[in-house]
């Protein structure tokens, strides 16, 4: 079968990939569509260290083909969106409703794929850039069949991360002010999360002026090409500033833009050893810097919620899919993503 494999030096679309059958508590999914997220590109450029060879992709949707023993919440023929976390469901963090903190979901890559006699790693417990993948049952979330699968694919990372960061981690309230630095796929979802939360002023900041129309469509009340203009709109600063790019100088900007009791939420992913600095004395007005993993999401709860908000016309998904590519055109999709020409490109199988 076809898949996108990174061997540590180059990315290839191969046609000799194999995946094993699902075991107990696992699900085999035929992938229909998968979003190309910058986290996939970060594996390729080394920002996210990961063992190779690896099948890329972590934002996908498809149709269940088979289930292993003990799986009862999905069945062959069901449409599913995939989450990237194979949380165990029994540890203290899972029991507290914090599956993104489950230690079973971090740093334990499996190898359900193979090429010839060589095993191939799975990225983010998911590897959606393959015609078929095997995931833990908890990662497969049933969705209504009337949701287009290219749109549904984006729920599994971009929406869970961006909207989830607003609703679950920052807990933006009605009337709050929000600044979003970077309006790519994650940033757009932060914008619509802020809109859903009832934020009064939502300021989008992106160096590319061509992104203004999309930012306003997703919820921005204001658009700036530089953070320097934020204080003209919010003289005392913002209640919440989301950094969605992953650059340490922008993290510093996010902190400097906070009002009293404000919080900076870090969503962009810089290099693993990157360090950021801030003026310590500025933090004593009850300001906070919050890390956020995967939108602090509970996928089995949140994915159906976002799917229903989409069906009601309150959550934008179709508008996120700015280009689709057959998997054979991965390099074009990659080039468009790296150049910022698309909010989210989607590979199709």
């Amino acid at each position: 079968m076809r898949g996108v494999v990174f061997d540590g030096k180059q990315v290839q679309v191969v046609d000799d990939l194999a995946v094993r059958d699902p075991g107990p508590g696992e699900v085999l999914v035929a992938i229909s569509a998968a979003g190309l997220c910058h986290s996939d590109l970060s594996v390729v450029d080394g920002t996210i260290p990961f063992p190779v060879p690896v099948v890329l992709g972590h934002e996908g949707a498809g149709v269940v083909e088979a289930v292993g023993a003990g799986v009862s919440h999905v069945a062959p023929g069901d449409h599913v969106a995939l989450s990237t976390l194979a949380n165990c469901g029994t540890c203290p963090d899972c029991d507290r409703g914090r599956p993104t903190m489950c230690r079973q979901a971090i740093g334990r890559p499996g190898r359900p794929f193979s090429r010839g006699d060589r095993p191939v790693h799975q990225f983010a417990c998911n590897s959606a850039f393959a015609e078929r993948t095997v995931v833990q049952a908890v990662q497969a979330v049933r969705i209504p069949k009337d949701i287009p699968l290219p749109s549904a694919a984006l729920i599994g990372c971009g929406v869970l991360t961006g909207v989830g960061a607003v609703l679950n981690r920052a807990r933006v309230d009605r009337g709050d002010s929000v600044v979003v630095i970077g309006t790519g796929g994650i940033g757009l979802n932060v914008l619509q999360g802020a809109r859903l939360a009832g934020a009064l002023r939502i300021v989008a900041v992106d160096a590319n002026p061509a992104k203004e129309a999309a930012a306003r469509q997703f919820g921005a009340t204001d658009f700036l090409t530089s953070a320097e203009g934020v204080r003209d709109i919010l003289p005392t600063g913002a209640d919440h500033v989301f950094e969605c790019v992953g650059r340490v100088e922008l993290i510093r900007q996010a902190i400097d833009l906070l009002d009293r009791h404000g919080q900076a939420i870090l969503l962009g992913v810089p290099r693993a050893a990157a360090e950021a600095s801030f003026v310590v004395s500025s933090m004593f007005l009850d300001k906070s810097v919050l890390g956020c993993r995967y939108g602090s999401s509970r996928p089995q709860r949140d994915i159906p919620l976002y799917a229903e908000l989409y069906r009601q016309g309150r959550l934008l998904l179709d508008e996120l899919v700015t280009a689709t590519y057959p998997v054979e055109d991965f390099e074009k999709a990659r080039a468009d993503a790296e150049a910022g020409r698309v909010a989210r490109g989607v590979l199709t199988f």
Side-chain angles (χ1 to χ4, degrees):
M1 68 178 184
R2 296 170 296 167
V4 179
V5 177
F6 175 56
D7 65 5
K9 296 181 179 179
Q10 64 178 342
V11 182
Q12 290 182 295
V13 179
V14 304
D15 59 8
D16 60 348
L17 192 67
V19 66
R20 62 170 173 76
D21 292 334
E26 293 181 334
V27 177
L28 175 67
V29 178
I31 298 295
S32 176
L36 176 55
C37 174
H38 277 278
S39 293
D40 301 301
L41 303 180
S42 293
V43 173
V44 177
D45 67 22
T47 300
I48 297 177
F50 207 87
V52 293
V54 57
V55 180
L56 298 175
H58 64 285
E59 185 183 68
V63 181
V64 174
E65 282 202 348
V67 300
V71 177
S72 59
H73 75 290
V74 294
D78 284 345
H79 286 199
V80 292
L82 302 182
S83 79
T84 70
L85 295 177
N87 60 289
C88 70
T90 59
C91 70
D93 284 307
C94 286
D95 192 52
R96 294 183 184 123
R98 302 188 305 210
T100 60
M101 294 296 106
C102 176
R103 285 170 171 79
Q104 299 297 320
I106 301 173
R108 302 188 181 195
R111 295 192 293 180
F113 299 99
S114 60
R115 294 185 68 194
D117 59 357
R118 186 179 183 187
V120 180
H121 286 94
Q122 185 174 41
F123 178 53
C125 302
N126 189 308
S127 289
F129 292 171
E131 288 188 82
R132 291 172 182 80
T133 190
V134 169
V135 298
Q136 295 295 314
V138 71
Q139 295 175 255
V141 184
R142 188 169 58 240
I143 57 173
K145 292 184 178 180
D146 59 357
I147 299 179
L149 288 172
S151 298
L154 305 188
I155 300 177
C157 177
V159 176
L160 280 177
T161 299
V163 178
V166 174
L167 302 182
N168 302 326
R169 186 66 169 128
R171 298 186 181 275
V172 173
D173 201 359
R174 294 162 295 179
D176 284 356
S177 58
V178 171
V179 175
V180 181
I181 301 175
T183 60
I186 299 299
L188 290 177
N189 278 297
V190 173
L191 290 171
Q192 69 171 334
R195 170 176 53 79
L196 286 167
L200 185 62
R201 208 70 184 261
I202 306 172
V203 183
V205 180
D206 199 293
N208 185 353
K211 293 186 176 182
E212 179 173 2
R216 291 187 180 276
Q217 180 182 24
F218 276 76
T221 59
D222 304 89
F223 183 89
L224 300 170
T225 56
S226 169
E228 294 177 1
V230 170
R231 291 282 181 174
D232 295 329
I233 299 170
L234 302 170
T236 63
D239 296 313
H240 314 273
V241 183
F242 295 81
E243 200 282 335
C244 304
V245 181
R247 289 169 46 187
V248 294
E249 65 271 24
L250 297 181
I251 292 172
R252 172 59 185 268
Q253 280 190 347
I255 295 169
D256 289 345
L257 288 172
L258 295 177
D259 196 356
R260 297 183 179 197
H261 208 277
Q263 50 188 17
I265 301 90
L266 310 185
L267 297 178
V269 181
R271 291 190 175 272
E275 296 183 1
S277 64
F278 56 87
V279 178
V280 175
S281 61
S282 71
M283 302 301 292
F284 293 123
L285 294 171
D286 284 0
K287 299 180 183 180
S288 305
V289 180
L290 304 181
C292 184
R293 177 175 172 80
Y294 201 41
S296 300
S297 298
R298 291 167 289 175
Q300 285 287 342
R301 172 189 179 274
D302 292 345
I303 288 176
L305 169 64
Y306 299 149
E308 187 56 34
L309 287 172
Y310 165 80
R311 297 175 82 198
Q312 293 179 11
R314 298 165 62 190
L315 184 85
L316 304 181
L317 291 179
D318 302 337
E319 295 81 359
L320 284 168
V321 184
T322 46
T324 58
Y325 310 83
V327 67
E328 290 81 7
D329 288 345
F330 173 81
E331 283 302 325
K332 176 172 172 49
R334 175 184 174 184
D336 287 347
E338 291 177 333
R341 289 189 287 266
V342 294
R344 219 28 152 224
V346 174
L347 301 178
T348 58
F349 291 87

